[in-house]
């Protein structure tokens, strides 16, 4: 009787251990499959990829390099975020004025394209914590007597389509010319067109460094730039915020900023 009991006990133990092993194996397989998919917990355009949009016409934030791929500050930040998320960066060049709509409709996972956080845009998409701080500035030719926005009353001002700069121009004139690119607007100013351009002060600074004969005047505002994500993708937004926090803490954002600007634009001004 004792031998039979021991035999039954042994059989039960064997089946129990086998079941546990099978359970662990199945759990392990599921974990491996989840990792292989990459970002399966997010609502992604393509599994395993962080599909982000930028204009490619906003040097030094995004521009087309010799390889045909976009390069620049925004692109490096997007690539660093993708790495933190464990995803492959998948850049998409798109006209700036239509990028927010592309994020909203699910064409892109995110926009890493120097979008200023505004109440109007917040109605369409959600924004991450800012990854850099900038501001709008007036640029004119050296022979201009313009110093402030008030001096531009009734004059012709050029801005980029879809940017927040048009609102400043429209406060003082109805002669507002729109370009697909801030850089093209500044080039037109250099060639004698328009009375001024309102754009990001860093873009103007870069243009002057590239040889355009223009000058910066009044700084109109300070602004916060962030990553735009569709409103139904909360987990992705949370992950991007965590990534930005880590990249700021470990010095990666500062390093990328100094690479393009020689200074840190990723820290909020005092």
């Amino acid at each position: 009787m004792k031998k039979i009991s021991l035999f039954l006990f042994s059989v039960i133990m064997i089946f129990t251990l086998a079941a546990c092993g099978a359970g662990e194996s199945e759990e392990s397989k599921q974990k491996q499959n989840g990792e292989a998919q990459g970002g399966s917990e997010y609502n992604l355009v393509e599994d395993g990829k962080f599909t982000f949009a930028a204009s490619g016409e906003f040097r030094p934030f995004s521009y087309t390099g010799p390889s045909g791929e976009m390069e620049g500050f925004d692109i490096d930040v997007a690539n660093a975020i993708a790495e933190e998320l464990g995803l492959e960066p998948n850049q998409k060049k798109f006209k700036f004025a239509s990028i927010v709509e592309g994020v909203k409709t699910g064409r892109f996972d995110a926009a890493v394209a120097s979008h200023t956080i505004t109440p109007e845009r917040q109605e369409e998409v959600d924004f991450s914590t800012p990854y850099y701080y900038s501001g709008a500035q007036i640029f004119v030719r050296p022979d201009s007597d313009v110093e402030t926005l008030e001096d531009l009353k009734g004059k012709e001002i050029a801005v980029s389509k879809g940017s927040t700069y048009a609102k400043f121009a429209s406060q003082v004139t109805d002669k507002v010319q729109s370009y697909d690119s801030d850089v093209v607007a500044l080039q037109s100013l250099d060639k004698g067109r328009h009375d001024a351009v309102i754009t990001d002060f860093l873009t103007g600074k870069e243009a002057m460094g590239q040889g355009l004969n223009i000058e910066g005047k009044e700084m109109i505002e300070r602004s916060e730039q962030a990553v735009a994500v569709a409103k139904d993708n909360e987990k992705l937004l949370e992950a991007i915020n965590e990534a930005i926090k880590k990249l700021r803490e470990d010095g990666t954002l500062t390093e990328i900023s100094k690479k393009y600007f020689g200074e840190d634009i990723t820290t909020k001004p005092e």
Side-chain angles (χ1 to χ4, degrees), residues 168-234:
F168 300 116
S170 62
Q171 289 173 11
V172 293
T173 185
D174 56 4
K175 299 175 184 176
V176 181
Q177 296 293 317
S178 297
Y179 287 86
D180 286 332
S181 163
D182 298 76
V183 176
V184 175
L186 290 167
Q187 289 170 343
S188 295
L189 178 68
D190 176 55
K191 292 174 183 175
R193 303 187 190 102
H194 320 302
D195 295 297
V197 170
I198 299 177
T199 186
D200 185 279
F201 84 95
L202 293 162
T203 302
K205 179 181 176 181
E206 172 73 10
M208 288 189 286
Q210 295 292 322
L212 294 191
N213 191 26
I214 57 176
E215 292 181 353
K217 296 300 180 178
E218 181 186 25
M219 188 77 140
I220 301 173
E221 64 148 10
R222 283 285 182 180
S223 58
E224 299 179 338
Q225 279 64 37
V227 178
V229 177
K231 285 186 172 294
D232 61 351
N233 212 346
E234 293 180 4

Side-chain angles (χ1 to χ4, degrees), residues 226-262:
V227 178
V229 177
K231 285 186 172 294
D232 61 351
N233 212 346
E234 293 180 4
K235 286 188 177 180
L236 179 60
L237 180 63
E238 290 173 6
I240 288 173
N241 280 334
E242 283 299 315
I244 290 173
K245 180 181 178 183
K246 185 175 182 299
L247 293 169
R248 178 170 283 113
E249 290 174 347
D250 68 14
T252 300
L253 286 183
T254 298
E255 183 181 341
I256 295 172
S257 178
K258 288 184 175 179
K259 172 183 173 181
Y260 290 98
F261 307 109

Side-chain angles (χ1 to χ4, degrees), residues 52-53 57 69 102 104 110 114 125 148 155 159 205 231 258:
F52 67 91
E57 299 178 325
E69 293 287 296
K104 179 183 174 181
S114 292
V125 294
T148 68
K155 297 184 182 294
V159 297
K205 179 181 176 181
K231 285 186 172 294
K258 288 184 175 179

Side-chain angles (χ1 to χ4, degrees), residues 3-25:
K3 287 183 180 181
I4 294 173
S5 298
L6 287 172
F7 174 75
L8 289 173
F9 177 77
S10 299
V11 170
I12 290 168
M13 286 300 295
I14 289 169
F15 276 105
T16 301
L17 290 171
C20 289
E24 288 174 3
S25 176

Side-chain angles (χ1 to χ4, degrees), residues 46-112:
E46 291 186 56
D47 283 345
K49 294 183 179 182
F50 178 55
T51 302
F52 67 91
S55 72
E57 299 178 325
F58 193 41
R59 185 183 289 269
F61 295 95
S62 67
Y63 56 92
T64 304
S67 68
E69 293 287 296
M70 288 190 293
E71 300 177 4
F73 173 77
D74 283 341
I75 309 306
D76 282 9
V77 170
N79 290 340
I81 290 172
E83 185 176 350
E84 288 298 321
L85 298 180
L87 300 172
E88 177 186 345
N90 184 28
Q91 58 172 253
K92 298 291 182 180
K93 186 177 179 180
F94 213 65
K95 291 297 182 185
F96 184 82
S98 302
I99 289 177
V100 167
E101 183 64 21
V103 172
K104 179 183 174 181
T105 58
R107 185 164 188 164
F108 318 114
D109 297 319
V112 190

Side-chain angles (χ1 to χ4, degrees), residues 19-33:
C20 289
E24 288 174 3
S25 176
E26 186 62 30
E27 183 181 350
S28 178
K29 284 179 183 177
Q30 288 175 355
K31 185 177 180 182
Q32 288 173 2
N33 288 337

